[in-house]
Amino acid sequence: MIPRSGYSAIAALCGAVLVFFLAPGAAAAAESGPPAPPPGAPEGALGNTAAVALLFWVLALATVAGAVFVITRRNMVAGVMGLVFTFFAVAVLYAMLYAHFLAVLQVLVYAGAIMVLFVFVIMILNKPEDEPWALTGLVGKAIAGLALLYFLMRLGGVLWGVREKPAASGAELSPGGTIQSGDFGSLAEVGRVLFSDYVFAFEAIALILLSAVVGAITIARPGSGSSSQDADEGAAVGDGERAPDA
Amino acid sequence: MTTGGQIVVIIMIMGGALSLAAGLIWVERRLLGLWQDRYGPNRVGPFGILQPLADAIKLLFKEDWSPPFADRSVFLIAPAVIFATALLSLAVVPVAPGIGVVAEWNVGLLFFLAMASLGAYSVILGGWASNSKYSLLGGLRAAAQMLSYEVFMGLSLAGVVVLAGSFSLAEIVRAQADLWYVVPQFLGFVVFLIAGLAETRRLPFDLPESETELIAGFHTEYSGMSFGLFFVGEYIGIITISALITTFFLGGWHGPLLPPLVWFLLKTLVLIAVFVLFRAAMPRPRFDQLMAWGWKILLPITLINLLVTGAVVALP
């Protein structure tokens, strides 16, 4: 629905919007100095304000560029690699926030485990690169335009919120507040919060994952499932157990 | 430690691992010759010790050919990934008290597991990008094998973490001053050893590249130094796994009389020889057997091990 050059135009637009909204905020942040490192943080780490700001911008741009790369590739493996790149950039952003545990988990779980599974599935499907199904004509263009408008509105809304924030949340982020406790971002602290404040969400996610596993086994297991279509297929391929019943 | 000292340590560990990997090419072939009642390489230099040098020169001067049907960029990146991740894993290993790149890092163990899981990309993408059926089959096998054994690898270390109370490798070694964890964590040790074999794709778990059925599996299409990177990456993987088994289960640098560094190297080298012995002595299982052993035997063992360890630590 959008020609190839259209994606580049969207990317450029997004970049321009980002710079427009974030540049004043970043400049203000750079003037006010970096957030004080939590007690126990390595001495001298992230000391230089300009360097930190530069690093943040490089990483932020890399994150966005990786994400844009993902949605503009026809080749699925290239798309997955773009997503892995994005996860790496996010992991470094976590590390810059003294959340080393989260940074390593980001690499271990997302880049290392989940994306390997993605590649595995793509390899098994082994679908050739082909023209994606697309709406054409006036209707298609209208839908694309509306989607683009909605996307820009949401993006603008989010970025506007970011710019408003620093003044309001200055007090919350002050040293000694709840966020910067002694071992902020450490393994023990994350574990304590996970199993006390967020224990319900943690257990709920465990149940959701369990249901996904049970569902996958139910679908994959031969001879299970009792729909008539299933039985017909079983008979058609000469399934030993099913043939007599069907 | 000063920045200069730290850089020296980094260079020493990286250079040491790389030269050890080169030496291993000769050591492995000579040991295999010994155990299989034949000579092994003995023509280049005394006892054939210059064989790795000859191999390296040959590989460097061979044409680095990439097939026209390959996905070129991914094809070129894949061998570099395994090399880089295997070397990065060594960063968290403490070779002696206070000596190590980031040995005190409080998420060192997780970092090693993350690097191990990233290593899987190399073989999967190498197999996929080669765009040939043997490579693709090898890549698929590698993906399934490494994804499965990563699970047991992580779980088998959970018992060690429970006993030591830390994810920092230096802390884990210090906790073994009185008793090596191979004694209370024997099941974890066995599972980690098997998972380490599977992660480095060494015999008997070299199904992704089994030459009798898949020619060379995922690296069938590789030549020259691209193949060399896979080759050296595998040896660095063996060194890394041996060094980590030493750290987690065999007390790291602890030992009487000799200096800590010597003890660490001694234990690591013995484990490397054990890896070679496995190759000389064990037959290769079928792929379904590999998967069944993993999920039906190793997984329950690690879970029971973790349960018992947790109970013993929690109960007074």
Side-chain angles (χ1 to χ4, degrees):
Chain A
M1 60 186 155
I2 306 172
R4 196 59 176 264
S5 57
Y7 288 121
S8 316
I10 293 175
L13 198 63
C14 295
V17 171
L18 260 178
V19 171
F20 175 75
F21 278 100
L22 286 185
E31 277 161 24
S32 65
E43 198 59 38
L46 302 190
N48 193 335
T49 314
V52 171
L54 182 71
L55 196 58
F56 168 77
W57 277 103
V58 170
L59 287 167
L61 283 179
T63 310
V64 175
V68 170
F69 184 84
V70 174
I71 57 167
T72 53
R73 286 312 102 169
R74 297 259 161 85
N75 184 334
M76 284 191 285
V77 171
V80 169
M81 287 300 101
L83 204 49
V84 171
F85 180 76
T86 303
F87 287 151
F88 270 112
V90 172
V92 182
L93 281 175
Y94 279 140
M96 279 178 69
L97 294 168
Y98 299 98
H100 288 199
F101 176 57
L102 273 188
V104 174
L105 270 198
Q106 174 84 10
V107 174
L108 177 63
V109 175
Y110 284 100
I114 293 179
M115 294 323 285
V116 170
L117 274 179
F118 272 48
V119 178
F120 192 54
V121 169
I122 289 170
M123 276 169 70
I124 287 179
L125 293 179
N126 205 16
K127 233 170 123 37
E129 296 173 35
D130 54 8
E131 204 60 25
W133 178 83
L135 280 169
T136 47
L138 204 61
V139 181
K141 277 184 186 141
I143 291 174
L146 282 176
L148 188 60
L149 199 67
Y150 177 71
F151 168 68
L152 287 178
M153 273 171 59
R154 289 301 300 265
L155 188 68
V158 169
L159 293 179
W160 195 260
V162 170
R163 201 176 66 154
E164 296 277 308
K165 207 91 180 183
S169 63
E172 293 169 29
L173 284 168
S174 64
T178 50
I179 296 175
Q180 290 185 351
S181 63
D183 45 1
F184 169 77
S186 77
L187 197 68
E189 190 62 17
V190 172
R192 196 190 62 72
V193 173
L194 193 63
F195 287 103
S196 56
D197 297 356
Y198 297 99
V199 70
F200 178 75
F202 179 78
E203 294 294 343
I205 288 172
L207 273 181
I208 292 170
L209 289 176
L210 183 67
S211 69
V213 171
V214 172
I217 291 174
T218 311
I219 293 170
R221 223 174 129 189
S224 68
S226 52
S227 73
S228 60
Q229 194 193 354
D230 215 2
D232 288 345
E233 278 174 10
V237 297
D239 189 325
E241 279 178 30
R242 287 222 152 254
D245 305 346
Chain B
M1 196 184 296
T2 59
T3 314
Q6 194 66 30
I7 290 172
V8 170
V9 168
I10 291 172
I11 291 172
M12 291 284 279
I13 289 180
M14 273 185 70
L18 284 173
S19 33
L20 193 57
L24 264 187
I25 297 172
W26 176 76
V27 169
E28 171 163 48
R29 290 176 66 185
R30 285 297 287 196
L31 280 179
L32 280 179
L34 181 75
W35 282 320
Q36 293 172 345
D37 200 15
R38 55 189 175 82
Y39 285 119
N42 61 356
R43 297 288 125 178
V44 194
F47 304 105
I49 202 163
L50 296 179
Q51 185 69 39
L53 200 64
D55 284 350
I57 292 171
K58 187 194 78 170
L59 280 176
L60 279 173
F61 280 95
K62 274 175 99 169
E63 184 188 2
D64 197 347
W65 183 75
S66 58
F69 44 81
D71 188 319
R72 210 178 138 69
S73 52
V74 181
F75 187 82
L76 289 180
I77 291 171
V81 170
I82 194 154
F83 191 76
T85 53
L87 262 185
L88 275 173
S89 296
L90 277 175
V92 292
V93 177
V95 294
I99 298 181
V101 182
V102 281
E104 301 281 348
W105 199 17
N106 62 5
V107 287
L109 192 147
L110 290 172
F111 180 78
F112 151 66
L113 289 175
M115 287 304 121
S117 61
L118 287 180
Y121 275 116
S122 174
V123 282
I124 297 167
L125 291 178
W128 178 82
S130 299
N131 216 351
S132 86
K133 57 188 166 198
Y134 296 117
S135 300
L136 188 66
L137 281 172
L140 273 176
R141 281 185 180 184
Q145 174 177 330
M146 293 178 83
L147 273 177
S148 303
Y149 279 79
E150 255 166 48
V151 176
F152 322 132
M153 191 175 231
L155 278 175
S156 65
L157 293 178
V160 171
V161 174
V162 168
L163 285 181
S166 173
F167 275 75
S168 150
L169 268 63
E171 198 60 48
I172 288 173
V173 173
R174 278 195 287 273
Q176 296 179 72
D178 300 324
L179 180 67
W180 294 359
Y181 283 159
V182 66
V183 180
Q185 285 293 314
F186 186 72
L187 289 176
F189 168 72
V190 172
V191 172
F192 188 78
L193 186 67
I194 296 173
L197 279 172
E199 279 292 307
T200 47
R201 302 170 310 287
R202 291 280 300 175
L203 261 162
F205 297 130
D206 71 335
L207 290 128
E209 47 185 291
S210 55
E211 46 291 275
T212 41
E213 36 180 338
L214 290 184
I215 306 182
F218 58 88
H219 59 64
T220 304
E221 307 291 343
Y222 282 89
S223 57
M225 213 50 212
S226 304
F227 164 75
L229 280 181
F230 271 125
F231 199 60
V232 177
E234 184 183 317
Y235 281 107
I236 293 180
I238 298 169
I239 296 170
T240 307
I241 291 289
S242 302
L244 285 165
I245 294 175
T246 305
T247 307
F248 290 136
F249 296 103
L250 299 181
W253 64 69
H254 290 300
L257 295 175
L258 297 170
L261 184 63
V262 175
W263 268 113
F264 179 81
L265 285 176
L266 209 61
K267 291 172 187 173
T268 307
L269 289 174
V270 167
L271 278 169
I272 291 172
V274 170
F275 268 66
V276 178
L277 182 60
F278 276 129
R279 175 173 173 178
M282 306 271 284
R284 186 187 289 143
R286 286 199 319 267
F287 196 70
D288 61 313
Q289 290 172 335
L290 178 78
M291 285 290 140
W293 286 345
W295 289 105
K296 290 179 187 164
I297 300 176
L298 294 185
L299 184 62
I301 286 179
T302 48
L303 289 178
I304 290 168
N305 180 39
L306 181 57
L307 199 68
V308 173
T309 311
V312 169
V313 169
L315 298 175

